[in-house]
């Protein structure tokens, strides 16, 4: 009977160890994917970023958010600089963008998160 209990405990231990290894491999793979995409973003390599996102990629957001535009000003004849407040749940953050006229519309040239929080405006 003791032998049977030891065998069963060994099987349980091995099964848990195997599951841990599967989790570790999945964790390693997920970290590699995130690091690759993060590195592509750091390098501002749009081709590399695009190659890591499937053309049918679908992102579902489970929270409500609101975008408000503040302080838009023209910069020369073809650009506009503006601040966007992004609100989700109780979090407020502000971003400054510059968009330049390109063909029949505007494209973002650059942006940055500002330290300014526009909460309550």
């Amino acid at each position: 009977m003791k032998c049977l209990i030891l065998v069963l405990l060994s099987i349980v231990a091995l099964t848990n160890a195997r599951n841990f290894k599967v989790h570790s491999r999945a964790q390693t793979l997920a970290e590699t994917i995130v690091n690759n995409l993060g590195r592509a973003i750091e390098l501002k390599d749009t081709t590399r970023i695009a190659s890591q996102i499937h053309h049918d990629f679908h992102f579902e957001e489970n929270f409500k958010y609101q975008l408000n535009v503040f302080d838009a000003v023209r910069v020369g004849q073809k650009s506009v600089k503006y601040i966007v407040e992004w609100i989700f749940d109780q979090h407020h953050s502000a971003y400054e963008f510059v968009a330049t006229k390109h063909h029949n519309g505007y494209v973002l040239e650059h942006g940055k998160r500002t330290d300014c929080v526009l909460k309550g405006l």
Side-chain angles (χ1 to χ4, degrees), residues 18-43:
R18 190 174 66 209
N19 287 339
F20 180 74
K21 288 180 184 177
V22 170
H23 173 73
S24 294
R25 289 180 189 145
Q27 181 76 23
T28 301
L29 178 58
E31 289 172 357
T32 299
I33 293 167
V34 169
N35 290 337
N36 286 342
L37 184 57
R39 185 71 179 138
I41 292 169
E42 284 176 16
L43 295 172

Side-chain angles (χ1 to χ4, degrees), residues 90-101:
Q90 298 299 314
H91 305 282
H92 296 250
S93 56
Y95 301 86
E96 180 181 278
F97 293 102
V98 173
T100 302
K101 189 167 184 144

